[in-house]
Amino acid sequence: MDLELNTEEFIIEFRHVCKAFMNQRETIQVLSDIHAKVEAGSIVTIIGPSGSGKSTILSLCNLLISPNEGDILIHGKEVREWDIQELRRQVGIAFQSGPMINGTALENLTLPARLMGKTLEHPKKYMDYVGLPEELLSREARELSGGQRQRLSLARTLVNGPSILLLDEVTSALDSNSTFAVEELILQINRDQNTTILWVTHDLAQAERVGDQTWLIMDGRLIESAPTKLFFSEPREKLTRQFLDLKREKV
């Protein structure tokens, strides 16, 4: 039976979300009072210093980890109330390294279907969609180039037909040609399927190119959230201006 999804304007909502991790000596506060909304079909680029909590935000959205305080709503339903398999079918995630299991490209591509106890029909159409030739399906995944692995990782994420796609530095290990090709692929996914995308990137130029909205996360706090063009041209917050100036000086 198909899930009846909430069709409200905001597909993701963070309501005063906090996350802390504990080690043997102390409690480390990673996110503090994150309060934000994401419009359906939009691309939100998330920037900030290393260790600021950007990847933690993504991990909370499909329950790789749980918040300590606050609520995260996906399609109007709090994440901890979802069936975990259904949540992860709706909310796909792709990582920087495009991690692969041992085996062929086909075995990697069909993994999400197998985990659901299903058979993936027409794997070629997923390869076609991400611009990979069908003959790569029989090749060992470890033999693929970095760009090919990243495309295969995206194809694998699309097998479940997610309405939300979480991207964690997915182009940071690629050369410029592969980066632009993967960017265009992701923008095509957004256009064709109205997929909502949260995209963590360290590349300010990329954030400016692809984002509809941009968030700045620093020390676990959401410093500024604004339409991307305004965010980069007329930042409101002093910390945002300082961060952008510092990053631009290093370019």
Short mmCIF file of all heavy atoms in Angstrom, two decimals, residues 158-196:
data_model
loop_
_atom_site.label_atom_id
_atom_site.label_comp_id
_atom_site.label_asym_id
_atom_site.label_seq_id
_atom_site.Cartn_x
_atom_site.Cartn_y
_atom_site.Cartn_z
N LEU A 158 18.50 6.47 -5.83
CA LEU A 158 17.24 6.73 -6.52
C LEU A 158 16.36 5.49 -6.68
O LEU A 158 15.18 5.62 -7.00
CB LEU A 158 17.52 7.32 -7.90
CG LEU A 158 18.22 8.68 -7.93
CD1 LEU A 158 18.52 9.07 -9.37
CD2 LEU A 158 17.38 9.73 -7.24
N VAL A 159 16.93 4.31 -6.45
CA VAL A 159 16.16 3.07 -6.63
C VAL A 159 14.89 3.07 -5.79
O VAL A 159 13.84 2.60 -6.23
CB VAL A 159 17.04 1.84 -6.29
CG1 VAL A 159 16.20 0.59 -6.08
CG2 VAL A 159 18.07 1.62 -7.41
N ASN A 160 14.95 3.63 -4.59
CA ASN A 160 13.77 3.64 -3.72
C ASN A 160 12.82 4.79 -4.02
O ASN A 160 11.79 4.93 -3.36
CB ASN A 160 14.21 3.73 -2.25
CG ASN A 160 14.72 2.41 -1.72
OD1 ASN A 160 14.29 1.35 -2.17
ND2 ASN A 160 15.64 2.46 -0.78
N GLY A 161 13.15 5.63 -4.99
CA GLY A 161 12.28 6.75 -5.33
C GLY A 161 12.10 7.75 -4.21
O GLY A 161 10.97 8.10 -3.87
N PRO A 162 13.18 8.23 -3.59
CA PRO A 162 13.04 9.13 -2.45
C PRO A 162 12.44 10.47 -2.84
O PRO A 162 12.67 10.99 -3.94
CB PRO A 162 14.49 9.30 -1.96
CG PRO A 162 15.32 9.12 -3.19
CD PRO A 162 14.61 8.05 -3.98
N SER A 163 11.67 11.04 -1.92
CA SER A 163 11.16 12.39 -2.13
C SER A 163 12.14 13.43 -1.59
O SER A 163 12.03 14.61 -1.93
CB SER A 163 9.80 12.56 -1.43
OG SER A 163 9.91 12.25 -0.04
N ILE A 164 13.08 12.97 -0.75
CA ILE A 164 14.09 13.84 -0.16
C ILE A 164 15.45 13.19 -0.39
O ILE A 164 15.61 11.99 -0.17
CB ILE A 164 13.86 14.04 1.34
CG1 ILE A 164 12.51 14.74 1.58
CG2 ILE A 164 14.99 14.84 1.98
CD1 ILE A 164 12.05 14.70 3.02
N LEU A 165 16.43 13.99 -0.81
CA LEU A 165 17.78 13.50 -1.04
C LEU A 165 18.75 14.31 -0.19
O LEU A 165 18.76 15.54 -0.24
CB LEU A 165 18.12 13.65 -2.53
CG LEU A 165 19.34 12.93 -3.07
CD1 LEU A 165 19.30 11.44 -2.78
CD2 LEU A 165 19.46 13.17 -4.58
N LEU A 166 19.55 13.60 0.61
CA LEU A 166 20.54 14.21 1.48
C LEU A 166 21.91 13.98 0.86
O LEU A 166 22.30 12.83 0.63
CB LEU A 166 20.49 13.59 2.88
CG LEU A 166 19.11 13.48 3.53
CD1 LEU A 166 19.21 12.70 4.84
CD2 LEU A 166 18.50 14.86 3.76
N LEU A 167 22.65 15.03 0.61
CA LEU A 167 23.94 14.94 -0.07
C LEU A 167 25.03 15.49 0.84
O LEU A 167 24.97 16.65 1.24
CB LEU A 167 23.93 15.72 -1.38
CG LEU A 167 22.81 15.37 -2.37
CD1 LEU A 167 22.87 16.29 -3.58
CD2 LEU A 167 22.88 13.90 -2.79
N ASP A 168 26.02 14.65 1.15
CA ASP A 168 27.08 15.05 2.07
C ASP A 168 28.41 15.15 1.33
O ASP A 168 29.08 14.14 1.12
CB ASP A 168 27.18 14.05 3.23
CG ASP A 168 28.00 14.58 4.38
OD1 ASP A 168 28.53 15.71 4.28
OD2 ASP A 168 28.12 13.87 5.40
N GLU A 169 28.75 16.35 0.88
CA GLU A 169 30.03 16.61 0.19
C GLU A 169 30.23 15.65 -0.98
O GLU A 169 31.33 15.11 -1.18
CB GLU A 169 31.19 16.47 1.18
CG GLU A 169 31.13 17.41 2.39
CD GLU A 169 31.66 18.80 2.09
OE1 GLU A 169 31.79 19.14 0.90
OE2 GLU A 169 31.93 19.54 3.04
N VAL A 170 29.20 15.46 -1.80
CA VAL A 170 29.24 14.38 -2.80
C VAL A 170 30.21 14.65 -3.95
O VAL A 170 30.52 13.73 -4.71
CB VAL A 170 27.84 14.08 -3.37
CG1 VAL A 170 26.96 13.46 -2.31
CG2 VAL A 170 27.20 15.33 -3.97
N THR A 171 30.68 15.88 -4.10
CA THR A 171 31.61 16.15 -5.20
C THR A 171 33.00 16.55 -4.72
O THR A 171 33.87 16.87 -5.54
CB THR A 171 31.08 17.28 -6.12
OG1 THR A 171 30.96 18.49 -5.36
CG2 THR A 171 29.73 16.91 -6.71
N SER A 172 33.25 16.52 -3.43
CA SER A 172 34.51 17.07 -2.91
C SER A 172 35.74 16.28 -3.34
O SER A 172 36.84 16.81 -3.37
CB SER A 172 34.46 17.16 -1.39
OG SER A 172 34.33 15.88 -0.82
N ALA A 173 35.55 15.00 -3.70
CA ALA A 173 36.70 14.18 -4.11
C ALA A 173 36.85 14.11 -5.63
O ALA A 173 37.70 13.37 -6.13
CB ALA A 173 36.55 12.77 -3.55
N LEU A 174 36.04 14.88 -6.37
CA LEU A 174 36.03 14.78 -7.82
C LEU A 174 36.78 15.95 -8.47
O LEU A 174 36.90 17.03 -7.89
CB LEU A 174 34.58 14.78 -8.33
CG LEU A 174 33.67 13.68 -7.78
CD1 LEU A 174 32.28 13.82 -8.39
CD2 LEU A 174 34.24 12.30 -8.03
N ASP A 175 37.26 15.72 -9.70
CA ASP A 175 37.86 16.83 -10.44
C ASP A 175 36.76 17.75 -10.93
O ASP A 175 35.56 17.46 -10.81
CB ASP A 175 38.71 16.30 -11.60
CG ASP A 175 37.93 15.48 -12.61
OD1 ASP A 175 36.75 15.82 -12.89
OD2 ASP A 175 38.47 14.50 -13.15
N SER A 176 37.14 18.89 -11.49
CA SER A 176 36.16 19.92 -11.83
C SER A 176 35.16 19.44 -12.88
O SER A 176 33.96 19.73 -12.77
CB SER A 176 36.87 21.20 -12.30
OG SER A 176 37.69 20.94 -13.42
N ASN A 177 35.62 18.70 -13.88
CA ASN A 177 34.70 18.21 -14.91
C ASN A 177 33.66 17.26 -14.33
O ASN A 177 32.47 17.36 -14.63
CB ASN A 177 35.47 17.52 -16.04
CG ASN A 177 36.24 18.49 -16.91
OD1 ASN A 177 35.90 19.67 -16.98
ND2 ASN A 177 37.28 18.01 -17.57
N SER A 178 34.12 16.34 -13.49
CA SER A 178 33.19 15.40 -12.86
C SER A 178 32.26 16.12 -11.90
O SER A 178 31.07 15.78 -11.79
CB SER A 178 33.97 14.31 -12.11
OG SER A 178 34.73 13.53 -13.01
N THR A 179 32.78 17.13 -11.20
CA THR A 179 31.95 17.90 -10.27
C THR A 179 30.79 18.56 -11.00
O THR A 179 29.62 18.45 -10.58
CB THR A 179 32.80 18.98 -9.57
OG1 THR A 179 33.71 18.34 -8.68
CG2 THR A 179 31.92 19.94 -8.78
N PHE A 180 31.08 19.24 -12.12
CA PHE A 180 30.01 19.92 -12.85
C PHE A 180 29.02 18.91 -13.43
O PHE A 180 27.81 19.18 -13.48
CB PHE A 180 30.58 20.80 -13.95
CG PHE A 180 31.28 22.03 -13.43
CD1 PHE A 180 32.58 22.31 -13.80
CD2 PHE A 180 30.64 22.89 -12.55
CE1 PHE A 180 33.23 23.44 -13.31
CE2 PHE A 180 31.28 24.03 -12.06
CZ PHE A 180 32.58 24.30 -12.43
N ALA A 181 29.50 17.74 -13.86
CA ALA A 181 28.62 16.72 -14.41
C ALA A 181 27.68 16.19 -13.34
O ALA A 181 26.47 16.00 -13.59
CB ALA A 181 29.44 15.59 -15.02
N VAL A 182 28.20 15.92 -12.14
CA VAL A 182 27.37 15.42 -11.05
C VAL A 182 26.38 16.50 -10.59
O VAL A 182 25.22 16.22 -10.30
CB VAL A 182 28.23 14.91 -9.89
CG1 VAL A 182 27.39 14.61 -8.65
CG2 VAL A 182 29.00 13.65 -10.31
N GLU A 183 26.84 17.75 -10.55
CA GLU A 183 25.93 18.85 -10.21
C GLU A 183 24.75 18.89 -11.17
O GLU A 183 23.59 19.00 -10.75
CB GLU A 183 26.66 20.19 -10.27
CG GLU A 183 27.50 20.52 -9.06
CD GLU A 183 28.15 21.89 -9.19
OE1 GLU A 183 27.73 22.69 -10.06
OE2 GLU A 183 29.10 22.16 -8.44
N GLU A 184 25.03 18.81 -12.46
CA GLU A 184 23.96 18.88 -13.45
C GLU A 184 23.01 17.69 -13.30
O GLU A 184 21.79 17.84 -13.45
CB GLU A 184 24.54 18.93 -14.87
CG GLU A 184 23.49 19.08 -15.97
CD GLU A 184 22.53 20.23 -15.72
OE1 GLU A 184 22.98 21.33 -15.33
OE2 GLU A 184 21.31 20.01 -15.91
N LEU A 185 23.56 16.53 -12.99
CA LEU A 185 22.73 15.36 -12.77
C LEU A 185 21.78 15.60 -11.59
O LEU A 185 20.57 15.31 -11.67
CB LEU A 185 23.60 14.13 -12.50
CG LEU A 185 22.89 12.88 -11.98
CD1 LEU A 185 21.84 12.40 -12.96
CD2 LEU A 185 23.91 11.79 -11.69
N ILE A 186 22.30 16.13 -10.50
CA ILE A 186 21.47 16.36 -9.31
C ILE A 186 20.40 17.42 -9.59
O ILE A 186 19.24 17.28 -9.18
CB ILE A 186 22.36 16.75 -8.12
CG1 ILE A 186 23.23 15.55 -7.72
CG2 ILE A 186 21.51 17.19 -6.93
CD1 ILE A 186 24.37 15.91 -6.79
N LEU A 187 20.78 18.47 -10.31
CA LEU A 187 19.80 19.48 -10.69
C LEU A 187 18.71 18.89 -11.59
O LEU A 187 17.54 19.25 -11.48
CB LEU A 187 20.49 20.65 -11.39
CG LEU A 187 21.41 21.49 -10.50
CD1 LEU A 187 22.18 22.50 -11.35
CD2 LEU A 187 20.63 22.21 -9.41
N GLN A 188 19.11 17.94 -12.45
CA GLN A 188 18.12 17.28 -13.31
C GLN A 188 17.16 16.44 -12.46
O GLN A 188 15.95 16.43 -12.72
CB GLN A 188 18.83 16.40 -14.33
CG GLN A 188 17.88 15.67 -15.28
CD GLN A 188 18.62 14.74 -16.23
OE1 GLN A 188 19.84 14.83 -16.38
NE2 GLN A 188 17.88 13.85 -16.86
N ILE A 189 17.69 15.73 -11.46
CA ILE A 189 16.84 14.95 -10.56
C ILE A 189 15.84 15.88 -9.86
O ILE A 189 14.64 15.57 -9.75
CB ILE A 189 17.70 14.21 -9.52
CG1 ILE A 189 18.54 13.12 -10.20
CG2 ILE A 189 16.84 13.61 -8.40
CD1 ILE A 189 19.65 12.56 -9.32
N ASN A 190 16.33 17.02 -9.41
CA ASN A 190 15.46 18.00 -8.75
C ASN A 190 14.36 18.48 -9.71
O ASN A 190 13.18 18.57 -9.32
CB ASN A 190 16.31 19.16 -8.25
CG ASN A 190 15.50 20.33 -7.73
OD1 ASN A 190 15.39 21.35 -8.41
ND2 ASN A 190 14.95 20.20 -6.54
N ARG A 191 14.73 18.77 -10.94
CA ARG A 191 13.75 19.27 -11.91
C ARG A 191 12.75 18.19 -12.32
O ARG A 191 11.54 18.42 -12.36
CB ARG A 191 14.46 19.80 -13.17
CG ARG A 191 15.26 21.07 -12.97
CD ARG A 191 15.70 21.63 -14.32
NE ARG A 191 16.56 20.69 -15.05
CZ ARG A 191 17.88 20.72 -15.03
NH1 ARG A 191 18.52 21.62 -14.29
NH2 ARG A 191 18.59 19.86 -15.74
N ASP A 192 13.27 17.00 -12.63
CA ASP A 192 12.42 15.94 -13.18
C ASP A 192 11.46 15.37 -12.14
O ASP A 192 10.32 15.03 -12.46
CB ASP A 192 13.28 14.80 -13.73
CG ASP A 192 14.05 15.19 -14.97
OD1 ASP A 192 13.82 16.29 -15.51
OD2 ASP A 192 14.90 14.38 -15.41
N GLN A 193 11.93 15.24 -10.90
CA GLN A 193 11.17 14.52 -9.89
C GLN A 193 10.72 15.40 -8.73
O GLN A 193 10.11 14.90 -7.78
CB GLN A 193 12.00 13.34 -9.37
CG GLN A 193 12.44 12.40 -10.47
CD GLN A 193 13.25 11.22 -9.95
OE1 GLN A 193 13.17 10.84 -8.79
NE2 GLN A 193 14.05 10.63 -10.83
N ASN A 194 11.02 16.69 -8.79
CA ASN A 194 10.67 17.62 -7.71
C ASN A 194 11.23 17.14 -6.37
O ASN A 194 10.62 17.31 -5.32
CB ASN A 194 9.15 17.81 -7.61
CG ASN A 194 8.79 19.08 -6.87
OD1 ASN A 194 9.44 20.12 -7.04
ND2 ASN A 194 7.76 19.02 -6.05
N THR A 195 12.41 16.52 -6.44
CA THR A 195 13.04 15.99 -5.23
C THR A 195 13.58 17.14 -4.38
O THR A 195 14.27 18.03 -4.88
CB THR A 195 14.19 15.05 -5.61
OG1 THR A 195 13.70 14.04 -6.49
CG2 THR A 195 14.80 14.40 -4.37
N THR A 196 13.27 17.12 -3.11
CA THR A 196 13.80 18.09 -2.16
C THR A 196 15.21 17.66 -1.79
O THR A 196 15.45 16.49 -1.50
CB THR A 196 12.93 18.15 -0.91
OG1 THR A 196 11.58 18.45 -1.30
CG2 THR A 196 13.43 19.22 0.06
#
